[in-house]
Amino acid sequence: MTQSLGLTTAQAESKLKIVGRNVLETKTANPWYKMLWSQFTDLLVIILLVAAIISFFHDKTESIIILSIVALNAAIGFFQEFRTEKTLEALKNMVHPQIRVMRDGKEMMIQTEYLVPGDVVILAEGDKVPADGILIESHSLKLDEAILTGESVPVEKKIKDKVFMGTAVAKGSAMFEVTFTGMTSEFGKIAELTTSTKNAKSPLEIELERIGMFVTKMTGVICLILFALGFLRDVDFSDTTTYFDAIADGLIFSVSVAIAAVPEGLPTTITVALALGASVLARKHAIVKRLSSVETLGAVSTICSDKTGTLTKNEMTVRALYLGNGESVEVTGVGYDPREGDVRASNYELKSTQVLLNLLSDICWYCNEAKLVHKKGHYTILGDPTEGALLTFVEKYAKKLQVRGSSLETLEVFPFDSDRKMMSVIVSRRSTKGEKLLVKGSPDQLLAKCEFYFDGVKVQKFTQAKKNEFIKEYQSMASKALRVLALAYREVDLKKMKNETQAEKELVFAGLLGMIDPPRDEVREAVTKCHAAGIRVIVITGDYGITAKAIAGELGIVKADGPVLVLTGDEVKKMSDKELSKILKDKTQQVIFARSLPDQKMRVVKLLQDHREIVAMTGDGVNDAPALKKANIGVAMGITGTEVSKEAASMILLNDSFASIVTAVEEGRRIYENLKKFVWFIFSCNIGELFVIFTSIVFAFPLALTAILILCIDLGTDILPAIALGVDPAEPGLMEKPPRNPKKRVMDRAFVTNFMIMGCVIGACVVGIFLYALIQEGWKWGSDTSGDFTYPRTMAFTALVMVQLVNAFSAKSFRRSLFSMNLLANKFLLLAIGVSLLLVYCMLYVPFFNDVLKTYPLNLSDWGWVAVASIIPLVVLEGMKWRTRSKEV
Ligand code: ATP
């Protein structure tokens, strides 16, 4: 590459001050005042507000109380939404695109937001072009400009061509000088950020919204009737001044009932729970880009994972070489530090060994786009770890020779791509005229293109027997879990080499090189978890079958001693959908896709989805994007993944590890269970309240709850425990159950029956206690139903709140007994219940509230009755749970 200096850090910094950061300013989707306003735009709230204002003229305190309850509720709603928005924003800021640039004459990675005009940027396959600019170097560069032009075929770009922000490198590599950044770029004019987390609706939210609509309509009709009845009861037709009051009272009551019935807060509460889940996931290194993914994660039934970097550490170290003369070479040391480790050939005195080692180290050095960086006594790499490992090897060898090999000039680069599975460069030759092509790549692909081999003395014609010898060695290296590359060369004439197809043929094989990439420590446990949770793990890798099988065996993904079907990309290509589908359908079939081609991931996802599997699929390259989009959960790698793959994915792993996918699935399951818990809690409470109101009307006894008390419960004491259930810790055994059936609705028969029964039991207990208190007060059937009935109503109110608080604990599990749970585990629930109790205390014992809410300070024996009423639903629920458990065995 020609050395282009770019800017100095100081220049870049001062420019940055002038032009600003290279970011697209997106309008905040939802400014706070809009969020606040939206709390008051709900139809029921509007009616309630209107009614409260009307009633102001006849009952000021009632009106003020209603307004305060609405305000309190709006504050909770606003706070929740605000927090969700902040979470989404925080998630967005956790993914920082980075790019290789030249600063101070050196290559380094910087965050794209700090790019300024004049910077020189280095592009590789899969990068997003981070700013507008002009190419100063181009190697087979093809850009996908669909985002700007709509044209889906990648466009070839040559030196001096313009490149635009937002387009993506489909192939090749390049260098360009930045001209425009941020909002001044072409893309800036039309842009909308796509790597940010979006709030798409989850299936559960949609289901609940539909149910909500249905309940709302039903309630609408009922409330009209209630309103009419209330109006007729209160109005005195001879006195027009009573009209207003009757309308206000009727409205307040019917709207209170509507609020009791309609679970309108539910979708928001679910969004909040999903957002909280997303922030928990972020802490565990997984960034979800759509909130609905949190829910989908819980249903994942198959994880298709690539190997390099996800199952392995992606910390490559060259371990062994096998030379064209049949000699083996051992390389010691770990990591990228060339100071540790040595290159040891068994027969180093052999001239041919030295010649071959020199040649191989030239290929490793020049056929390479990575950089080894030495900073503060520590070695790191820029670029592909496979190539980084080669540089370290060359440095170790140079240390042995005590010279840094030859200095050749690179004239052309044909960058690596995962279809060809190789890379080559054309370099100037030291002595004679003409040029040399240096190639490295997957042995399968490369050996097929080799017609000769070099034994260190002479170039020999390849016989099949000789080739087999090298293939055998290749397999033996791979079975030790080594990642193997083949290295080759040939003499060429640069002028005649227009593209890689012309160049990469009739090659001279020079040797094999094997590197270790150790499995990640945490993956083994994650795989065991997957198996316990009925989740299938399929490895789809570009690497060689034997290497992949060795790693998969080490990690327990396949039983190494059992039959494992290793399908190569070429084999899969020849299979019909039906044949492949048959293999994928059989869950007991151990299968590994090796040397797979990027478009095959797409086929695998589709066929798995045809069998109703919910698929999480990893991918890092530019060609993986369609499969990532198609998968239910497309997983991109935060560290090694290309920007294109990150954009296509629905989840980004900050640490690239397979184990994080499993953690995310576990979290997804937990959150889904919690959603069910609070849906159940809210519905059982609502049914309970409706039961109380309707029995009062049907059996013509005084209303057990006034409108204000209903509002106090629904907008006050109910809400906090419901929210707290959303952050409940996972139940034991969560990852020992098979994945849930995604087609199954939450609101199935069993679930609805369960909360209906509970609602009715709760309602019956409250009515019971109300009637008891009413009769205590000397009320008889048929006597007047108007009046304050302060004491019985307070009893009913307190019983209802207490039952619901106990219910919140019960809701923590649909099968486990309350008595076998750790009730202290969810601190938020304890806090929520504490706050609700405090509210009840104030409503009952603060004289001011006694006045305005018409409540009565209960004594100890009253509390005894309330306790009895709260225990009965608990006993019934425990009975139901016991039945569920006994059915399981
Ligand atoms: P996975 O798909 O699990 O991430 P992978 O990294 O091996 O595995 P690819 O990146 O498609 O998949 O690489 C396929 C093969 O190409 C590798 O096994 C290796 O033999 C060869 N290869 C990888 N990187 C390079 C490179 N930079 N230059 C030449 N050949 C390479």
Side-chain angles (χ1 to χ4, degrees), residues 336-378:
Y336 297 113
D337 191 341
R339 290 169 303 188
E340 287 162 29
D342 190 15
V343 180
R344 292 181 199 145
S346 47
N347 252 328
Y348 191 64
E349 305 73 40
L350 269 183
K351 181 90 175 56
S352 62
T353 300
Q354 292 172 23
V355 171
L356 280 164
L357 266 173
N358 286 344
L359 173 64
L360 292 185
S361 82
D362 269 355
I363 300 176
C364 289
W365 189 262
Y366 290 103
C367 190
N368 203 315
E369 292 195 293
K371 282 269 169 321
L372 192 62
V373 185
H374 186 204
K375 218 169 160 184
K376 294 183 190 141
H378 191 71

Side-chain angles (χ1 to χ4, degrees), residues 306-308 384 386-387 416 418 421-423 440-443 483-485 540-544 595 620:
D306 49 15
K307 174 185 72 75
T308 313
D384 180 1
T386 305
E387 298 192 343
F416 173 77
S418 37
K421 298 197 188 334
M422 62 181 75
M423 165 188 179
K440 72 177 195 308
S442 124
R483 178 178 174 81
V484 188
L485 288 183
I540 305 185
T541 176
D543 210 341
Y544 188 40
R595 290 286 181 234
D620 46 15

Side-chain angles (χ1 to χ4, degrees), residues 637-654:
M637 302 299 141
I639 305 171
T640 54
T642 56
E643 284 307 314
V644 173
S645 63
K646 286 182 203 169
E647 202 168 88
S650 44
M651 185 165 90
I652 300 173
L653 301 182
L654 292 181

Side-chain angles (χ1 to χ4, degrees), residues 87 91 202 204-205 208 269-284 286 288 290-299 651 662-680 722-731 734-735 737 740 746 751 811-812 814:
T87 311
L91 290 183
S202 74
L204 182 61
E205 278 175 286
L208 284 170
T269 319
I270 289 183
T271 314
V272 173
L274 292 177
L276 287 177
S279 60
V280 172
L281 283 177
R283 253 177 278 134
K284 298 186 174 180
V288 287
R290 244 172 290 126
L291 280 190
S292 57
S293 303
V294 177
E295 191 187 316
T296 317
L297 269 169
M651 185 165 90
V662 183
T663 313
V665 170
E666 194 172 352
E667 275 303 311
R669 285 189 176 195
R670 178 183 71 85
I671 291 158
Y672 186 79
E673 286 302 312
N674 288 351
L675 298 184
K676 272 171 71 179
K677 289 175 198 176
F678 68 68
V679 168
W680 181 89
I723 298 172
L725 280 173
V727 292
D728 214 31
E731 267 198 82
L734 188 70
M735 286 299 269
K737 292 190 284 194
R740 73 166 198 268
V746 175
F751 191 76
K812 280 165 69 75
F814 296 113

